[in-house]
Amino acid sequence: MAESTDVDQLLEAFKKFAIHGDTKATGKELNGKNWAKLCKDCKIIDGKNVTGTDVDIVFSKVKQKTSRVITFDEFHRALEELAPKRFKGQSKEEAEQSIFKLVEGKEPTNVGVTKVAKTGAVDRLTDTSRYTGSHRERFDESGKGKGREGREELVENTGYVGAYKNAGTYDTKIKSDK
């Protein structure tokens, strides 16, 4: 029973790495890039005994000739092939158990992923209360954009020139003259 939970944890890690970075992935096949990431994140690549090149060679060895991905069974064979190289002092079975322990329950890390910068300069540049000129017209007092009204000159068909100050006073002026 202990081995079935180990296989389940191995399968879980396989699925997590298989879908990492690919929105269309089903979790049943692992590509070469994610295989290398799995080996790096799970510390199978140690830089001395196992390198990135070793990982790529094993991937090419276990996959089908025309395929670009590996299944879970091929993944299992790849780990078995890397185990004696990674754990040189141990027997084959002990090395396989040790390498499975490295992978079990792991998931992809996002170390080094770029985060949104929120520094003083960004705050200053996106503060709508400091906008001047025509840009100020695009936002209301709360800083929310006005949409189309703020971007376009809306034409008023009143018959008056745009900057005329006494617009709408003609009728009252004519009536007062009579």
Side-chain angles (χ1 to χ4, degrees):
M1 184 173 158
E3 283 195 23
S4 69
T5 57
D6 292 348
V7 172
D8 291 343
Q9 287 183 342
L10 212 56
L11 181 62
E12 188 69 29
F14 174 82
K15 285 180 178 178
K16 285 180 181 176
F17 278 94
I19 61 171
H20 179 72
D22 187 4
T23 56
K24 296 181 185 94
T26 60
K28 293 181 167 77
E29 296 175 327
L30 187 70
N31 63 23
K33 178 178 71 75
N34 287 355
W35 162 248
K37 180 167 181 52
L38 178 140
C39 291
K40 187 175 167 212
D41 289 355
C42 295
K43 309 246 185 319
I44 293 171
I45 296 175
D46 62 356
K48 294 176 187 159
N49 299 329
V50 179
T51 63
T53 307
D54 296 325
V55 167
D56 292 338
I57 289 169
V58 168
F59 181 83
S60 296
K61 238 187 241 184
V62 298
K63 74 176 181 62
Q64 301 289 322
K65 292 286 180 222
T66 57
S67 180
R68 301 175 113 187
V69 292
I70 59 173
T71 62
F72 180 70
D73 294 330
E74 293 166 336
F75 165 74
H76 206 275
R77 271 202 328 262
L79 287 178
E80 287 171 359
E81 199 157 318
L82 279 176
K85 194 165 189 174
R86 173 67 169 85
F87 299 100
K88 284 193 173 174
Q90 299 177 355
S91 70
K92 189 171 192 246
E93 291 77 26
E94 288 175 339
E96 286 175 9
Q97 288 303 314
S98 298
I99 205 161
F100 293 158
K101 290 271 186 278
L102 286 177
V103 177
E104 286 170 3
K106 294 283 176 37
E107 53 188 60
T109 58
N110 289 328
V111 175
V113 176
T114 307
K115 293 178 180 57
V116 177
K118 204 66 171 144
T119 60
V122 175
D123 289 340
R124 190 173 63 246
L125 292 171
T126 56
D127 184 6
T128 57
S129 66
R130 294 182 174 192
Y131 288 174
T132 59
S134 62
H135 302 291
R136 173 172 272 168
E137 304 302 319
R138 295 181 50 211
F139 300 93
D140 60 12
E141 292 78 34
S142 67
K144 190 171 183 327
K146 290 183 182 177
R148 186 173 170 219
E149 295 170 13
R151 287 193 304 272
E152 294 181 5
E153 287 279 331
L154 300 179
V155 179
E156 296 175 13
N157 293 326
T158 58
Y160 291 98
V161 179
Y164 186 63
K165 301 229 187 302
N166 298 321
T169 59
Y170 179 75
D171 290 334
T172 56
K173 194 173 191 180
I174 296 297
K175 287 180 185 175
S176 65
D177 288 343
K178 288 185 182 179

